[in-house]
Amino acid sequence: MPPELIVRLYNVGVGDCIYLRVPDKKQTRHILIDCGSMNRYGEKAMERVLASLEECLPKDASGTPLLDLLVITHSHQDHMSALNTNLEWFRKLRIRRIWMSAAMQAQYAPAKKIQALWEQGKEVLQSLQGLKLGGQYDDLLHYLSFALSNAPALSALRKDLKVEQRLYLDTETPEQSLDIFTQPDTRFHVLNPAHDLDEVYLGAFQAGSGHGFAGILGGKEAHKGPEEIDSEQLAQHNISSGDFQRLTEHLSSNALGFLLDAVEGLENNTSLVLLLEWHGKRLLFAADAEYKDSGSKIYVSGENNFAWNFMWHAHRTGALSQPLDFLKVGHHGSVNATPWSEKNPPPAINKILDTLVKPDQRPCQIGVSAERWSRYQRTIPYKALMLELGSRAQKSCLYEEEKHYKKLNQTGKQKIKLEYCVPSGKKQPKRTDLNYQDPEHVDPLYLEFKFEA
Amino acid sequence: MGDTGGIPVSKAARTDLYQVAPFLGEETRHELGIYLPGVYIYLQDPLVAQTDPDVGIHEIQIVNEPGLSSGPTSARWVVVDYNADTGKLSSGAILKQEEGQPPHFETPQGKPLDKDARHLPEFRQVNAWAVAQSVLDLFEHPEALGRPLPWGVPGNRLIIVPHAGYGENAYYDRHSKSLQFYYYGDPKDPKYTCLSHDIVAHETGHAILDGLRPYYYNFTSVQTAAFHEFVADLAAILSGLRDNQVRLSTSKKTGGNLTRDNVIQGLAEEFGQHISGVKPLREANNQDNMDSIQGNLSPHDCSLVLTGAMFEILTEIAQRHLDEEKSKSGEDGDAHPLRALWWATQRIIHMALQPLDFLPPVDVDFVDYARAVLQYLLIYEPYDSPRREFYIDLVRRVFHERKLCRGTPEQCQSGDCALESRHLPVWDVFHSIAHLSDSPTAAYAFLHDNRRKLFIPFHQDIRVVDLYRTHKRGREARRLPGEIVLQYMWSEDVLLDEPRFGALRGKKAELLCGGTLVFDENGNLISWMHKPGTEIQPNPAAKESAAKKRLQELYEDGCNRRKDLLDHIANQVKNGLIGLQDPHAAQLIGPWTQPVQALLQNGTLHLEITPGVRNTLHTAPAIGENKEGEIPSGILNWGGQHAA
């Protein structure tokens, strides 16, 4: 029996940990794409995952596990937390290559504006510690605050871990750099990010926008304010200090809102998206690439484009012109990541999924690494998307999601609204959090997909 | 000196002239230099100016107030050039005043703010101020509302921020007493919303309506929010039409037929081009009706029904005048369209703005406005006017075609028409108009004495929202009878006790009730538009009478309003549009901000459209349906970006 290509999606809650075993002539390549969890997978829980992974890896003469390639798609907690919590495990491996998104390269010229914005966002976040923003932004700050604690992982990836090759990839990375396979029809393609990061993902958005607002949120102390303006100066501008303070609070809030939005979205949209071709099979790993529905237009030069909008623009006649054999659904099945909308009439962006997942032309296995974490349960994974993908996927599943989360709710630890769950009797793509119902499921720790040459 | 004319006078003489200006004719004002010279604005926006130099940069007439100062700062506005992106407060345009010379604005370096200064920040400061002031002048003019108009904020001077920061946005924000204008596009060569006449006029329109009817800021229904958008767009259309140069260009291009492409019917051309690639942002010349907006939750979209209706009325009035002009012999044919447009402009200003005083203080809907316009014509269009029937028939027809009344022609002819005003009460206790208009408290005494006739529950405390007099002029500048307008309101608590209210379940909402009484100078009641509640019920045992039937109708109206309010809130919840606002938290406005903010005050829920979303020129975002009716927590509601 010829060797199979295996893709495992580990169940890490809201996060990604994807192991690939790729037959390559007489050898086998072992690849790990991301290793992180957003919610309840701390050091101990991740140990089980890493132990399982370790069993898959070959050992050298000294017993050191060998990993051919570690890919970190972007620097979000749910994609790299294990490099913070379980860094020692990675240190004991012999990792041949580390590939990261070009946007993760420190002081990278084509991402100068984006990185300035991130730095600004982090500064703001630090200045906002303990400050209540209210409503929807508390959630955002909660999430973005992870970005502040990623420093050890980033340092390990960028320099501390000893590797033979360390690459920051974009669509203009030379093909020979990606040539890690000996089999001629086996190769990775970088679909995202673009080389001109600022130009594609930021467009005319002004880095530096938002400067000066941190100090005046609600007039809180210990924040750097706008330039010092005393009441005498204000009188010359015909405005009282009270009116001016109120005004600047509101103006600043606006700028902050846009800044925080930009900071969070840019990380996802500059994530590394890879297409693996193997013996004619096409496997897409969508990372957290987001899409923007702009009606009839998909890509607008000079605007802040989203990842899928760029990828379609750049690869629609190339790497994305043919249907896939496997889609690792992006962003944990979120409403904003897979380029499909239930809107009627369908927006232009839908043509991307219609091209890539075409069951009548090519069976496509689909996997989702997700969990209905209460904080994001409405849109991760997104019910309508799950139903749509379930109708297209090869080997889709009839999960009893409602029952599963109802049972978890009874423990008192979860508060999942069952209305967000796909009802029993409706097909879904394979999901890491529901694999107990999968007849092919072997281990509750992961979902496995197999491909023959 | 600019082409506004004027003769050199001393400062003291200018003050004297300012005092007597209301008694002077337009030509005399011009000759005497009542207007400030050298105030230049974009008549539309920089994009239109490029494509149509006729409506490029022109001088505008702004009255030279004695208290005018640098900034500009005038009685009702102060320009504060604070940029939130840079944290910098920049100096404003300098008002240069030399004895014997008319004052004018210039840069701190002494450069005049004429066409050549269009790239300078001081030009933009003056542009935004001048457009805002001219829109306020339009609304306060005797041809419109005929009185100084209050703001909906404490104080009497609104702040204009011409360069508020980077963003595709501009809005009126009641909470910071400001009109904020952002800039967008290429950071090296941004486009400024403060240079768009339509955007500045639109935001000024919001501010003016907030002063006229402050409770319309409460998001009690989509139509109430849409009415805000309508008045804001109307401000932009009428302000544009009022300009001689814009009318001249429009008449040249359209021959007086406003259904042809023109700058009046297109709103925010440059911004629209940027957002959609198709200009303009909104079209007044449309065929939208109540059916086509059914289920649409976007106030901007819904407002187009009224905007389209009034634009159609304007178009037909212009056509009528054009036909009349053409039928006159011996006239210069080229003059017809311009004169027709002038007449039509005068009439549409009367017909669109003067009825605003009739509107109820709360929860306005489109039918209220249609009814007010019709009522206005029935009262004020003289019986000897050759066009009375034309106007009345036109308004009835247009509003029926837009499906604001769904009655058949037969029903409407028999008097059962939604657009016809209802009967006026006969008072239980008479108060002289002189007495009741003395003060809000005197007005309250009148209301209290006539609670029964006004269907105000006895246990409810009445708020006098406003009390004022008007000094309006009608056709051919004839003085209309002075009006005394009294707005009052109260509210009923409504418990949100169903699962469909999600996180709002168990909270209370307010059913706003009240009315507007308009008296003439002699105390005759000429209009009463009101919103009943549910707390006065007809006594089933009472004998059948017209009064009992009337009470039954009002009670049913109140119950329907209560149901509509509950459905409205549930609908907003279901669609994930509401964000809970923390009164102790800093307010944020950004792409993740919900378009509706719910604020809990003493256990009662207040819904407001988020300022940057209410007035931004964006259309509503894509919204994921939230079927189980929960108020989604935070950022996920937007249906777009979210973390993880």
Side-chain angles (χ1 to χ4, degrees):
Chain A
M1 187 174 171
E4 296 170 315
L5 185 154
I6 289 176
V7 178
R8 278 186 187 175
L9 307 187
Y10 276 92
N11 178 4
V12 287
V14 179
D16 269 5
C17 180
I18 307 164
Y19 165 69
L20 274 68
R21 195 179 77 189
V22 185
D24 182 24
K25 283 198 170 171
K26 291 181 179 175
Q27 303 178 65
T28 302
R29 304 293 175 193
H30 302 269
I31 298 164
L32 179 61
I33 301 179
D34 288 335
C35 197
S37 175
M38 182 76 173
N39 41 349
R40 55 194 167 80
Y41 282 71
E43 183 182 350
K44 288 288 173 196
M46 197 57 89
E47 275 176 8
R48 278 191 66 216
V49 170
L50 298 178
S52 167
L53 262 173
E54 196 171 327
E55 286 174 15
C56 305
L57 301 180
K59 312 285 187 299
D60 67 9
S62 64
T64 303
L66 297 171
L67 182 64
D68 289 293
L69 173 64
L70 171 63
V71 178
I72 298 296
T73 59
H74 62 297
S75 56
H76 271 162
Q77 176 85 353
D78 49 328
H79 294 258
M80 60 187 290
S81 68
L83 282 137
N84 279 322
T85 55
N86 305 68
L87 184 55
E88 283 311 308
W89 183 83
F90 288 91
R91 286 191 200 282
K92 76 180 183 185
L93 301 183
R94 185 180 150 209
I95 302 172
R96 295 183 65 192
R97 301 174 182 84
I98 292 179
W99 290 358
M100 293 169 276
S101 162
M104 293 170 70
Q105 187 169 0
Q107 297 179 331
Y108 186 50
K112 191 176 168 188
K113 287 182 184 175
I114 288 176
Q115 290 179 341
L117 209 57
W118 284 338
E119 288 310 310
Q120 213 173 9
K122 285 174 189 172
E123 277 177 30
V124 170
L125 283 170
Q126 276 165 337
S127 74
L128 294 178
Q129 295 293 318
L131 180 62
K132 192 170 174 58
L133 291 177
Q136 45 274 58
Y137 285 92
D138 281 343
D139 269 352
L140 178 58
L141 290 180
H142 169 83
Y143 170 71
L144 287 176
S145 63
F146 287 126
L148 298 176
S149 58
N150 265 346
L154 276 173
S155 173
L157 287 166
R158 285 174 176 162
K159 58 181 182 186
D160 300 344
L161 290 173
K162 288 177 184 162
V163 294
E164 294 167 22
Q165 182 199 47
R166 179 177 274 112
L167 284 181
Y168 298 93
L169 305 183
D170 62 44
T171 50
E172 292 187 14
T173 303
E175 282 199 5
Q176 58 268 31
S177 305
L178 307 175
D179 198 6
I180 64 169
F181 302 104
T182 50
Q183 178 77 25
D185 63 355
T186 302
R187 67 180 67 85
F188 273 115
H189 298 273
V190 178
L191 305 188
N192 196 64
H195 178 69
D196 299 319
L197 289 135
D198 283 346
E199 193 179 315
V200 170
Y201 304 103
L202 212 49
F205 193 96
Q206 194 176 22
S209 170
H211 173 71
F213 51 70
I216 39 174
L217 283 165
K220 301 291 187 296
E221 291 177 5
H223 297 297
K224 195 171 64 180
E227 63 178 22
E228 288 298 317
I229 303 164
D230 61 31
S231 55
E232 201 170 308
Q233 283 175 288
L234 290 174
Q236 288 172 6
H237 287 267
N238 296 318
I239 186 169
S240 69
S241 54
D243 279 350
F244 185 70
Q245 185 184 345
R246 207 164 14 252
L247 175 70
T248 51
E249 279 172 21
H250 283 254
L251 284 165
S252 304
S253 300
N254 191 322
L256 178 60
F258 280 95
L259 174 72
L260 294 184
D261 168 66
V263 168
E264 200 283 324
L266 283 168
E267 295 257 16
N268 287 338
N269 282 313
T270 56
S271 60
L272 177 59
V273 177
L274 294 173
L275 176 75
L276 173 62
E277 285 188 326
W278 178 79
H279 291 291
K281 295 277 189 284
R282 291 160 48 77
L283 293 80
L284 183 69
F285 301 89
D288 277 2
E290 297 182 5
Y291 78 91
K292 180 163 70 172
D293 169 15
S294 305
S296 59
K297 295 178 293 185
I298 289 186
Y299 183 86
V300 184
S301 183
E303 296 285 312
N304 60 322
N305 291 285
F306 283 31
W308 273 107
N309 302 66
F310 161 73
M311 287 193 283
W312 186 248
H313 169 70
H315 311 295
R316 66 183 182 280
T317 57
L320 293 182
S321 62
Q322 298 298 316
L324 302 171
D325 296 277
F326 174 72
L327 171 65
K328 192 285 181 180
V329 172
H331 208 186
H332 324 295
S334 163
V335 66
N336 66 1
T338 301
W340 174 84
S341 163
E342 69 265 50
K343 278 188 196 169
N344 194 11
I349 200 85
N350 280 26
K351 73 176 73 156
I352 304 178
L353 189 68
D354 290 343
T355 303
L356 297 180
V357 183
K358 236 174 184 170
D360 52 334
Q361 285 187 14
R362 195 164 191 161
C364 182
Q365 298 194 60
I366 299 177
V368 186
S369 179
E371 182 182 56
R372 274 198 200 285
W373 188 27
S374 56
R375 186 178 283 271
Y376 302 118
Q377 58 176 287
R378 189 174 79 88
T379 48
I380 292 184
Y382 189 50
K383 179 175 164 180
L385 178 65
M386 293 301 99
L387 288 167
E388 179 64 23
L389 294 175
S391 72
R392 300 188 189 209
Q394 185 192 24
K395 299 182 182 177
S396 53
C397 297
L398 287 172
Y399 293 121
E400 295 200 27
E401 189 185 358
E402 291 161 312
K403 278 189 185 173
H404 174 65
Y405 282 108
K406 190 175 179 182
K407 198 173 168 187
L408 282 181
N409 279 353
Q410 287 166 357
T411 66
K413 290 180 183 171
Q414 302 247 15
K415 284 184 182 173
I416 304 295
K417 296 284 181 188
L418 302 181
E419 291 80 0
Y420 296 139
C421 300
V422 175
S424 303
K426 300 281 186 184
K427 288 181 179 176
Q428 296 199 56
K430 289 189 174 183
R431 284 171 50 177
T432 52
D433 56 332
L434 300 172
N435 59 12
Y436 65 98
Q437 287 287 336
D438 181 355
E440 294 180 20
H441 146 81
V442 187
D443 186 323
L445 208 53
Y446 56 81
L447 264 182
E448 197 162 86
F449 301 84
K450 293 178 180 173
F451 302 87
E452 292 178 2
Chain B
M1 178 160 300
D3 48 341
T4 48
I7 52 177
V9 291
S10 67
K11 192 175 178 185
R14 267 202 309 278
T15 304
D16 284 346
L17 286 170
Y18 174 77
Q19 291 175 75
V20 300
F23 306 102
L24 302 176
E26 203 66 21
E27 291 298 319
T28 313
R29 286 180 175 209
H30 198 273
E31 264 182 46
L32 292 176
I34 297 292
Y35 298 112
L36 192 67
V39 179
Y40 287 89
I41 63 161
Y42 277 99
L43 291 178
Q44 287 292 294
D45 61 37
L47 177 69
V48 174
Q50 271 180 9
T51 54
D52 185 356
D54 280 353
V55 279
I57 297 174
H58 284 265
E59 198 167 12
I60 186 175
Q61 293 180 347
I62 300 291
V63 170
N64 180 13
E65 297 173 16
L68 191 66
S69 64
S70 298
T73 306
S74 53
R76 308 302 303 280
W77 308 98
V78 54
V79 174
V80 176
D81 201 351
Y82 176 76
N83 186 321
D85 281 355
T86 61
K88 282 187 182 163
L89 178 62
S90 303
S91 61
I94 303 295
L95 184 71
K96 190 80 172 175
Q97 303 198 70
E98 286 174 358
E99 190 59 39
Q101 292 296 317
H104 65 277
F105 284 108
E106 61 184 29
T107 67
Q109 295 76 32
K111 183 172 172 47
L113 297 175
D114 53 18
K115 292 179 185 180
D116 293 339
R118 63 188 179 281
H119 299 300
L120 299 178
E122 291 85 0
F123 181 92
R124 297 190 287 272
Q125 295 162 357
V126 172
N127 187 92
W129 167 79
V131 173
Q133 179 61 44
S134 72
V135 173
L136 182 60
D137 285 344
L138 162 65
F139 275 75
E140 290 186 336
H141 197 277
E143 302 280 348
L145 295 172
R147 67 181 176 110
L149 300 175
W151 298 131
V153 301
N156 287 291
R157 199 153 67 185
L158 278 189
I159 301 162
I160 295 173
V161 190
H163 309 100
Y166 187 88
E168 295 164 355
N169 216 340
Y171 53 87
Y172 161 63
D173 177 23
R174 177 198 266 188
H175 302 290
S176 61
K177 304 204 300 188
S178 64
L179 306 184
Q180 300 174 15
F181 299 100
Y182 293 76
Y183 47 90
Y184 58 93
D186 181 353
K188 290 176 193 157
D189 184 22
K191 297 185 186 340
Y192 296 92
T193 56
C194 69
L195 287 182
S196 164
H197 164 273
D198 290 351
I199 293 175
V200 176
H202 179 99
E203 302 313 331
T204 308
H206 277 300
I208 289 171
L209 183 61
D210 194 30
L212 288 174
R213 294 291 183 276
Y215 285 94
Y216 292 1
Y217 211 77
N218 294 42
F219 188 36
T220 50
S221 74
V222 173
Q223 283 196 29
T224 304
F227 187 76
H228 240 286
E229 297 307 328
F230 158 66
V231 171
D233 279 352
L234 193 65
I237 292 168
L238 298 183
S239 170
L241 261 179
R242 200 170 172 233
D243 187 274
N244 294 342
Q245 191 62 31
V246 173
R247 276 202 314 279
L248 180 63
S249 163
T250 306
S251 75
K252 272 190 205 167
K253 286 201 170 129
T254 65
N257 180 355
L258 293 176
T259 61
R260 293 179 187 154
D261 187 33
N262 65 79
V263 294
I264 297 297
Q265 63 94 18
L267 292 160
E269 282 85 349
E270 185 177 59
F271 193 87
Q273 176 87 35
H274 173 77
I275 292 294
S276 64
V278 182
K279 63 174 186 176
L281 188 66
R282 281 194 288 282
E283 303 265 6
N285 184 18
N286 68 62
Q287 295 304 315
D288 289 341
N289 60 44
M290 298 304 283
D291 283 349
S292 64
I293 61 161
Q294 188 74 31
N296 191 327
L297 297 180
S298 160
H300 287 101
D301 289 353
C302 295
S303 70
L304 289 173
V305 174
L306 283 188
T307 309
M310 294 314 288
F311 191 80
E312 187 179 344
I313 290 168
L314 164 70
T315 301
E316 299 227 9
I317 294 173
Q319 190 61 49
R320 162 90 181 214
H321 282 280
L322 192 61
D323 293 344
E324 288 179 8
E325 290 279 327
K326 282 179 181 168
S327 69
K328 288 179 190 168
S329 58
E331 289 281 346
D332 174 3
D334 290 343
H336 297 160
L338 185 57
R339 203 152 46 221
L341 267 186
W342 186 86
W343 278 107
T345 300
Q346 293 296 107
R347 295 307 290 144
I348 200 67
I349 288 174
H350 298 151
M351 289 166 60
L353 298 186
Q354 293 191 335
L356 292 175
D357 278 324
F358 291 179
L359 294 175
V362 297
D363 202 20
V364 71
D365 60 33
F366 290 1
V367 173
D368 290 329
Y369 180 71
R371 197 181 287 157
V373 173
L374 189 58
Q375 175 80 346
Y376 165 81
L377 286 171
L378 290 168
I379 295 171
Y380 288 129
E381 191 62 25
Y383 279 89
D384 62 353
S385 161
R387 302 185 190 95
R388 178 182 164 90
E389 291 308 313
F390 164 71
Y391 291 141
I392 291 171
D393 290 347
L394 171 63
V395 164
R396 278 202 176 112
R397 177 173 61 75
V398 168
F399 284 129
H400 274 88
E401 284 172 358
R402 302 271 171 171
K403 309 214 167 150
L404 285 152
C405 172
R406 293 173 186 277
T408 62
E410 294 75 29
Q411 285 171 323
C412 291
Q413 276 169 9
S414 69
D416 186 16
C417 175
L419 304 186
E420 302 294 337
S421 290
R422 296 169 181 181
H423 80 276
L424 301 177
V426 178
W427 306 124
D428 282 338
V429 182
F430 176 77
H431 288 233
S432 76
I433 191 66
H435 179 63
L436 81 83
S437 62
D438 264 353
S439 69
T441 312
Y444 166 74
F446 162 77
L447 295 168
H448 176 73
D449 286 345
N450 290 284
R451 279 177 185 265
R452 198 172 64 90
K453 288 295 173 65
L454 294 168
F455 305 101
I456 304 172
F458 273 78
H459 68 277
Q460 286 283 4
D461 191 12
I462 308 168
R463 274 171 265 177
V464 173
V465 179
D466 207 350
L467 175 68
Y468 57 84
R469 283 175 186 271
T470 69
H471 305 276
K472 296 174 180 169
R473 290 203 299 253
R475 188 173 65 102
E476 294 165 356
R478 292 178 194 174
R479 182 179 173 276
L480 297 180
E483 296 165 330
I484 293 91
V485 182
L486 167 57
Q487 298 180 59
Y488 61 92
M489 61 89 64
W490 73 95
S491 65
E492 291 180 8
D493 285 343
V494 179
L495 185 62
L496 307 176
D497 60 353
E498 297 169 57
R500 63 182 177 144
F501 298 112
L504 296 181
R505 191 177 182 184
K507 307 282 189 306
K508 284 185 295 186
E510 282 184 311
L511 178 67
L512 302 181
C513 311
T516 298
L517 294 159
V518 181
F519 303 90
D520 70 12
E521 289 160 329
N522 298 316
N524 301 306
L525 183 62
I526 57 176
S527 170
W528 179 40
M529 295 186 74
H530 63 121
K531 297 287 175 175
T534 65
E535 293 175 333
I536 293 185
Q537 297 183 29
N539 178 3
K543 65 178 181 186
E544 288 302 318
S545 65
K548 184 184 175 186
K549 188 180 169 208
R550 176 78 182 132
L551 191 53
Q552 180 66 33
E553 285 171 1
L554 286 171
Y555 174 68
E556 285 169 9
D557 274 1
C559 291
N560 288 334
R561 291 186 59 238
R562 186 178 185 281
K563 178 182 177 302
D564 289 346
L565 176 69
L566 292 172
D567 289 347
H568 165 65
I569 294 172
N571 216 10
Q572 297 294 317
V573 170
K574 174 184 168 186
N575 286 284
L577 295 171
I578 301 181
L580 279 170
Q581 189 185 328
D582 181 342
H584 305 296
Q587 261 198 327
L588 284 180
I589 297 166
W592 294 3
T593 312
Q594 269 91 5
V596 182
Q597 295 295 309
L599 181 63
L600 278 172
Q601 288 175 333
N602 303 321
T604 303
L605 187 72
H606 295 266
L607 296 184
E608 278 184 11
I609 298 277
T610 308
V613 181
R614 169 198 284 277
N615 300 322
T616 181
L617 307 145
H618 294 294
T619 51
I623 293 153
E625 195 177 352
N626 178 16
K627 286 191 173 146
E628 91 332 311
E630 184 195 9
I631 292 268
S633 67
I635 55 177
L636 301 177
N637 303 335
W638 203 236
Q641 310 242 21
H642 53 97

